[in-house]
Amino acid sequence: MRAEAQSRPRRPIIVAASDTSNAIEADTLQDVVVTSAGVNRRLSQKQAGAEKIDMKELSSLPAIFGERDVMKSIQLLPGVKSDGDGSSGYQVRGGTTSQNIVLLDNAIVYNSGHLMGLFSSFNDDALAAATLYKGNSPARLGGGVSSVFEIGSRQGNLFNHHVSAGVGLLAARLAVEGPIREGESSYLVAARRSYLDLFLRMTDNYSDTKLNFYDVNAKLAWRLGEKDNLSLSFIRASDEMEMLHALSMEWSNMAASLRWFHTFSPSVFLTTWLTASKYTSDAGMKMASDAYTINGFVRHAALNVNLNWTPSEAHRIQCGWQSQLVDLRSAEWEAAPVKEREQRSAWQNDAWLQDDWTPSEQLQIGYGLRLNVFTVLGGPQYYQIDDEGEIVKRYDTESGQNVKTRVYFEPRLNVNFNVNDELSLKAAYTRTSQNIHAIRTSTATAMPIDRYTMTSNIVRPMLANQVSLGATIATARHDYDLAAEVYYKHIDNVYDYRDGMTWMSWIEMERLILGGKGRSYGAEICLHKNDGPLTGWISYTLSWSENKIKGISNDDWYTASNDRRHDFSIVGTYALNMAWTLSATWVFNTGQALTAPSAKYDNMGDTFYYYAKRNGYRAPAYHRLDISATHKKQLSAKVERQLSFGFYNIYNRKNPYMVIFENDDDKPSGTKATKVSLFGLVPSISYLVKF
């Protein structure tokens, strides 16, 4: 299959399907012929825990409201779980959503979800490839102790102009691409906009409700000569919600990447990235005559240089350096007459060296080292706190002053041994660090009002050490393969809210949180069917995730909020004929761990709850079945029509989105738990035209 059908291809490059690193490092102005590597890729993949996303396979999976979503597709993989019903957030190997780092063309994107996470901010029309590294990432990548999700955007067609337009139940989309100068430069613009708010305005009860999102992806690419390529990519995604003039929220992502690719020789090439990104969130609440507002942001500006050198067939060496400035506002709020703000900045430098060594046809070894230097910069006020979170000393600092520098080494090792054409064995050890912490507002799902903080004189970076062992075995014809992997991960400096504290208790984040350690371990198994009209996979994950933080749950190990003991997925796609494709997915996972009151008492008419153990209870189990059908028809030589329809949660399971504890009116001495569900049965339909 071809990623792009071009009338006059030039110097094609063969890359594995969805191989993000190869697609990004390769000359992006050349025609890329994508081959479906399938089981061969899984057998030869030296990077343990790496999952490459096939964008063509994604297009046939069932989708909520008819919108395809690369973020939701990875939730069907072993070791990866959804953050909540309908959410684009995901948890990897016992980690939280905030422990994942998402890179779009090397630019960091935070909280990449529309409508509270129902859809991701990434328009699939603009994507070329994606790879999820489940903790075991190459030395050139860092910043996430649970995973790094590397996404590469697609460039426009070099020779022909193309347009695709589609409508679904919730949003409409349009993508336009083509040459600027034939064979030498191209453009691509893809945009989406929801129109649910247009229907709400027609109702009496919700005419004042705002609920909309939009996103725009754009990419320009130039071939500057035989040895130089240049590209500029951009994304802007924004959401707006307002209900009854009482609650309003806005959040947005913006990122830009300038990439220069230079070839010194067939064995040496250099990739230079200049990136900038910004995530902002604003919320407002009105209660009676009082009004409250809160806003925050995370901003990055970075220069990244990566050199690839292949001195021989046995070695591929990468080395590089990245320098970035980070500006983070954990919160600025105003509730008359109080106005407070906490904002911090830092300078981070990373350097790495990695060698992918192939000593024999059977053995592949990747080993490397990453150095992380994080310097906390002055300007705002810093302080010291006691064990109760009270400030005991304050420090006034000058702008740009070195407040604290932390240095960490991160070794990486991956080994893949191909016993024969049907069996490969893998082992890996990885140490990673993360300096940006998102402290979640609730255990339900990632929210726009979640507060962020960074490594400081008090807060330390999360440090994760992970080991994993795996094996992949295939049948002689490679029509089936079975992959299994076990892992153990230990994380230092895991942070959670103190008992009784919430995101708005104090402006100073260090006063709200306590640090400790976490651990997660488990086993993943996945059976793939690769050939025939019916393809897909069955995956199962058994896992544990626990935290131990002094001052929480009697200083003992307690179940983390993201712990899911069992996770099961079945994914199937059936090519009925050349026109019709049928798909179905079924997912099951253990209910989310939650903190429930153990007792309550009344004081002068007010009810107070006592919580004996953090996350000592569980919500009901989660499961659902989605189905879809897609019909493609060639209307003319240049026009193709695609009609998709399906059902999300076809048996109408009322899965818990959150559980609320409140007084039981029928039993004053008791407490009742109320389950809140987000979706029941949801039909979807979308219509797409390409020409």
Side-chain angles (χ1 to χ4, degrees):
M1 60 180 176
R2 282 186 181 273
E4 276 301 319
Q6 304 202 27
S7 59
R8 282 176 282 178
R10 301 171 63 180
R11 296 193 303 153
I13 302 173
I14 306 298
V15 300
S18 302
D19 190 337
T20 317
S21 60
N22 286 346
I24 290 177
E25 295 295 343
D27 182 345
T28 56
L29 283 181
Q30 301 173 17
D31 181 27
V32 178
V33 180
V34 181
T35 61
S36 182
V39 61
N40 294 326
R41 183 184 67 223
R42 288 187 285 273
L43 286 166
S44 61
Q45 171 65 42
K46 64 179 178 295
Q47 197 77 41
E51 299 280 0
K52 301 182 185 299
I53 311 303
D54 189 327
M55 303 307 291
K56 181 180 180 181
E57 189 176 65
L58 168 64
S59 66
S60 62
L61 295 180
I64 186 171
F65 295 122
E67 289 293 318
R68 309 299 176 186
D69 196 328
V70 67
M71 305 297 281
K72 284 192 171 55
S73 70
I74 64 176
Q75 297 172 4
L76 301 171
L77 299 173
V80 185
K81 304 175 182 65
S82 170
D83 202 26
D85 200 7
S87 173
S88 62
Y90 58 96
Q91 303 166 358
V92 178
R93 289 186 171 178
T96 66
T97 301
S98 62
Q99 292 170 355
N100 306 317
I101 193 76
V102 179
L103 300 174
L104 178 64
D105 289 341
N106 231 42
I108 298 176
V109 180
Y110 290 97
N111 198 11
S112 53
H114 287 307
L115 297 184
M116 306 294 288
L118 296 185
F119 310 102
S120 78
S121 303
F122 303 118
N123 189 332
D124 294 335
D125 291 332
L127 304 184
T131 301
L132 176 69
Y133 297 95
K134 296 186 289 188
N136 297 315
S137 58
R140 64 182 175 85
L141 297 175
V145 295
S146 281
S147 75
V148 177
F149 193 25
E150 190 179 29
I151 305 173
S153 66
R154 185 171 65 87
Q155 71 168 51
N157 195 293
L158 283 168
F159 301 100
N160 299 296
H161 296 277
H162 294 284
V163 177
S164 65
V167 293
L169 289 180
L170 188 66
R173 56 179 175 164
L174 176 69
V176 183
E177 63 178 296
I180 299 173
R181 186 170 182 178
E182 189 174 290
E184 296 184 7
S185 57
S186 67
Y187 71 92
L188 182 144
V189 179
R192 289 186 302 178
R193 210 282 189 185
S194 66
Y195 38 70
L196 181 61
D197 55 321
L198 302 181
F199 294 106
L200 293 175
R201 292 174 187 171
M202 302 177 187
T203 65
D204 294 331
N205 295 331
Y206 302 102
S207 59
D208 294 330
T209 299
K210 293 182 180 179
L211 190 64
N212 63 75
F213 72 82
Y214 74 86
D215 54 58
V216 178
N217 288 256
K219 189 167 187 175
L220 301 174
W222 301 268
R223 180 172 182 171
L224 304 180
E226 290 295 324
K227 295 186 177 182
D228 294 279
N229 292 330
L230 189 69
S231 64
L232 176 63
S233 59
F234 173 82
I235 181 175
R236 166 73 178 181
S238 181
D239 282 73
E240 183 180 21
M241 297 178 62
E242 184 176 339
M243 303 177 190
L244 304 175
H245 298 292
L247 174 65
S248 64
M249 287 191 291
E250 296 181 24
W251 64 98
S252 65
N253 269 297
M254 184 170 62
S257 299
L258 179 65
R259 174 184 176 273
W260 172 42
F261 181 90
H262 177 72
T263 303
F264 292 98
S265 70
S267 61
V268 182
F269 58 89
L270 181 74
T271 308
T272 303
W273 297 89
L274 186 61
T275 63
S277 62
K278 181 179 180 181
Y279 168 72
T280 61
S281 64
D282 295 274
M285 293 174 284
K286 293 181 180 179
M287 292 182 289
S289 59
D290 298 324
Y292 306 87
T293 61
I294 178 172
N295 65 75
F297 60 71
V298 186
R299 299 188 294 209
H300 290 260
L303 174 64
N304 181 299
V305 179
N306 190 62
L307 179 69
N308 278 263
W309 176 38
T310 309
S312 66
E313 292 184 358
H315 293 272
R316 183 193 176 202
I317 298 173
Q318 292 189 67
C319 61
W321 163 79
Q322 176 175 271
S323 182
Q324 64 175 321
L325 292 173
V326 185
D327 193 17
L328 186 151
R329 177 179 293 172
S330 70
E332 179 179 44
W333 58 44
E334 183 173 1
V338 178
K339 184 175 183 179
E340 297 179 297
R341 180 176 69 182
E342 181 178 69
Q343 188 168 330
R344 301 282 171 82
S345 59
W347 181 28
Q348 179 172 324
N349 287 275
D350 301 277
W352 57 87
L353 175 64
Q354 176 155 332
D355 181 16
D356 294 324
W357 178 33
T358 308
S360 68
E361 291 185 0
Q362 291 180 293
L363 183 62
Q364 298 172 313
I365 302 175
Y367 56 95
L369 180 67
R370 184 180 180 90
L371 172 66
N372 177 267
V373 181
F374 192 86
T375 301
V376 182
L377 299 179
Q381 192 176 76
Y382 290 84
Y383 40 84
Q384 289 183 353
I385 60 175
D386 61 18
D387 292 340
E388 303 300 321
E390 297 298 327
I391 298 175
V392 296
K393 190 175 183 178
R394 296 179 183 269
Y395 301 93
D396 291 320
T397 60
E398 297 180 2
S399 179
Q401 175 186 341
N402 182 349
V403 175
K404 183 74 175 181
T405 295
R406 302 185 187 273
V407 181
Y408 294 95
F409 292 93
E410 305 174 20
R412 315 285 172 90
L413 175 65
N414 280 274
V415 179
N416 181 44
F417 181 67
N418 294 303
V419 179
N420 51 44
D421 290 341
E422 287 80 41
L423 175 63
S424 71
L425 305 176
K426 297 178 175 65
Y429 165 73
T430 304
R431 180 177 172 87
T432 53
S433 65
Q434 182 173 335
N435 288 291
I436 305 298
H437 308 260
I439 313 300
R440 296 177 60 166
T441 302
S442 68
T443 60
T445 184
M447 301 279 284
I449 55 176
D450 289 346
R451 291 184 63 181
Y452 288 79
T453 188
M454 68 165 66
T455 296
S456 67
N457 62 318
I458 297 175
V459 175
R460 294 177 174 271
M462 286 183 283
L463 296 173
N465 290 275
Q466 178 174 287
V467 293
S468 61
L469 297 171
T472 301
I473 185 170
T475 57
R477 295 180 57 189
H478 285 191
D479 47 350
Y480 290 90
D481 71 90
L482 179 68
E485 197 163 332
V486 295
Y487 66 90
Y488 178 87
K489 178 169 58 178
H490 178 89
I491 306 179
D492 290 318
N493 307 320
V494 172
Y495 289 93
D496 204 347
Y497 280 112
R498 295 172 181 265
D499 286 337
M501 292 292 181
T502 68
W503 58 277
M504 59 187 303
S505 296
W506 301 103
I507 191 68
E508 300 91 356
M509 281 296 294
E510 283 94 336
R511 301 180 64 185
L512 304 179
I513 57 180
L514 290 171
K517 55 187 177 181
R519 63 187 181 191
S520 59
Y521 47 94
E524 305 164 359
I525 188 168
C526 189
L527 174 65
H528 291 88
K529 186 180 186 302
N530 305 302
D531 294 330
L534 176 63
T535 58
W537 66 87
I538 300 174
S539 70
Y540 170 71
T541 303
L542 174 66
S543 63
W544 289 260
S545 182
E546 299 172 310
N547 292 335
K548 186 177 183 179
I549 299 176
K550 185 178 180 180
I552 298 178
S553 199
N554 298 317
D555 301 345
D556 294 327
W557 286 100
Y558 64 91
T559 302
S561 61
N562 46 288
D563 178 89
R564 304 283 197 281
R565 188 71 68 248
H566 305 282
D567 183 63
F568 193 73
S569 299
I570 301 176
V571 179
T573 301
Y574 186 77
L576 189 63
N577 50 45
M578 294 295 292
W580 283 97
T581 301
L582 309 179
S583 298
T585 63
W586 184 75
V587 296
F588 171 93
N589 58 63
T590 302
Q592 179 179 326
L594 51 88
T595 303
S598 303
K600 72 173 184 177
Y601 59 93
D602 293 323
N603 184 14
M604 300 180 66
D606 294 325
T607 300
F608 297 89
Y609 293 100
Y610 171 72
Y611 300 88
K613 187 175 182 180
R614 183 76 60 98
N615 298 329
Y617 299 85
R618 284 195 182 273
Y622 179 99
H623 54 89
R624 73 170 199 275
L625 173 66
D626 308 331
I627 63 172
S628 72
T630 301
H631 183 266
K632 295 182 180 180
K633 184 177 182 179
Q634 202 71 32
L635 301 180
S636 67
K638 295 184 178 181
V639 181
E640 177 187 297
R641 182 266 293 158
Q642 179 176 307
L643 177 64
S644 300
F645 56 90
F647 295 93
Y648 178 92
N649 193 8
I650 191 169
Y651 53 75
N652 199 31
R653 163 75 175 177
K654 300 297 184 181
N655 285 301
Y657 181 71
M658 64 176 64
V659 177
I660 300 173
F661 296 95
E662 54 189 356
N663 285 329
D664 190 342
D665 294 334
D666 297 328
K667 189 178 180 182
S669 61
T671 301
K672 64 179 180 180
T674 303
K675 181 181 71 173
V676 179
S677 298
L678 189 62
F679 294 117
L681 170 66
V682 180
S684 67
I685 185 170
S686 63
Y687 186 86
L688 179 67
V689 177
K690 298 180 180 180
F691 55 91

